[in-house]
Amino acid sequence: HGADPNARTQKQETALWYAVMNGDTRIARMLLQAGAESECEFEGHSVLMKAAYAEDVPMVSLLLAYGADPNKGNCDKWTALMEASMKGNEEMVSRLLQAKADPNLRSCSGETALWRALVNKHADIVKALLIVGAKPAKCINPRDVMVLATNLNDVSVIDQLIECGVSVNTCQDSGWSPLMNAAMNGNAGMVLWLLNHGANPSQQLEDGRTAVHVASVHGYDDIAQVIISKSTRRNKHVRN
């Protein structure tokens, strides 16, 4: 009889765990072929999660090929897709999505893969997640989504969010709007795009500040003038 590929040490580690920890795909493949469980865990972490932490795409691909569940998170319900999205690993995100990783799962703290990609400014991953059905409403704070998206400097992301039902005027709880955020960033192209797609230049914070004030305070007088011009035209159109 051969050695049991699923035997555990006194600390409950398996041979596959060591192979994954060492990034040794050759040994990992041998163990999996011999019947090692692709779902084995150690201290609340699966071998797939261990490979994801290390951003080891070949190992992740191997484990998925042998049946590892891409939706099985760690003890905090943090999944491999969340990890890859946070770190901006596009190849790993692609492999996980091909293996039917669920983009709408939430960790114990309420985070999703889409949220982590937005917060960490990974535009291409945000787009990939939205294409496969990631729901902005599942994010830990849906009202922050459009504002965060303006940090990506990619209007195609804004387009996708609009298709998902998110308004360009969706403000954070403080009243901070996507237009204000783009103005603060000095992103003239984004400001103009938002205005042309219905952004409200009159949106105010509690202290009365608008996107014009925000742009001026940060030294972007040209952007302030664009907003004023668009606002004037908009008001004339409303009156007519």
Side-chain angles (χ1 to χ4, degrees), residues 75-103:
C75 50
D76 296 317
K77 296 185 179 180
W78 183 262
T79 67
L81 184 59
M82 294 173 194
E83 182 74 11
S85 298
M86 178 182 71
K87 291 181 175 176
N89 194 316
E90 294 177 31
E91 186 179 2
M92 188 177 295
V93 167
S94 177
R95 298 289 177 86
L96 289 163
L97 291 177
Q98 288 171 11
K100 307 301 182 184
D102 187 345

Side-chain angles (χ1 to χ4, degrees), residues 45-237:
H45 303 272
S46 68
V47 285
L48 181 65
M49 286 302 306
K50 183 66 176 176
Y53 296 144
E55 296 189 74
D56 190 338
V57 177
M59 187 68 77
V60 166
S61 299
L62 176 64
L63 293 168
L64 290 171
Y66 276 85
D69 183 357
N71 295 313
K72 188 172 185 178
N74 63 17
C75 50
D76 296 317
K77 296 185 179 180
W78 183 262
T79 67
L81 184 59
M82 294 173 194
E83 182 74 11
S85 298
M86 178 182 71
K87 291 181 175 176
N89 194 316
E90 294 177 31
E91 186 179 2
M92 188 177 295
V93 167
S94 177
R95 298 289 177 86
L96 289 163
L97 291 177
Q98 288 171 11
K100 307 301 182 184
D102 187 345
N104 292 307
L105 292 178
R106 302 178 74 176
S107 68
C108 288
S109 61
E111 296 186 277
T112 63
L114 178 61
W115 177 258
R116 289 315 317 177
L118 280 166
V119 169
N120 289 282
K121 303 180 182 179
H122 301 309
D124 287 339
I125 291 178
V126 170
K127 288 187 281 188
L129 292 169
L130 289 171
I131 286 172
V132 298
K135 298 177 181 178
K138 289 280 188 178
C139 287
I140 191 169
N141 193 340
R143 296 187 66 82
D144 290 347
V145 167
M146 189 61 85
V147 170
L148 289 172
T150 62
N151 292 327
L152 303 179
N153 195 27
D154 189 334
V155 295
S156 65
V157 173
I158 310 295
D159 263 335
Q160 284 181 284
L161 288 173
I162 291 173
E163 290 176 6
C164 291
V166 185
S167 168
V168 292
N169 290 308
T170 302
C171 300
Q172 294 179 321
D173 293 337
S174 64
W176 187 259
S177 71
L179 184 61
M180 292 174 186
N181 203 59
M184 180 188 72
N185 291 338
N187 192 332
M190 181 65 74
V191 165
L192 187 59
W193 194 94
L194 290 168
L195 288 168
N196 287 336
H197 287 77
N200 180 11
S202 300
Q203 172 67 34
Q204 294 182 323
L205 295 169
E206 289 184 1
D207 60 8
R209 284 181 298 154
T210 65
V212 171
H213 295 102
V214 172
S216 298
V217 165
H218 287 85
Y220 301 119
D221 293 337
D222 55 335
I223 291 178
Q225 287 301 317
V226 168
I227 299 172
I228 291 170
S229 175
K230 285 287 184 179
S231 181
T232 301
R233 291 179 190 175
R234 181 182 182 189
N235 292 335
K236 285 182 179 179
H237 178 74

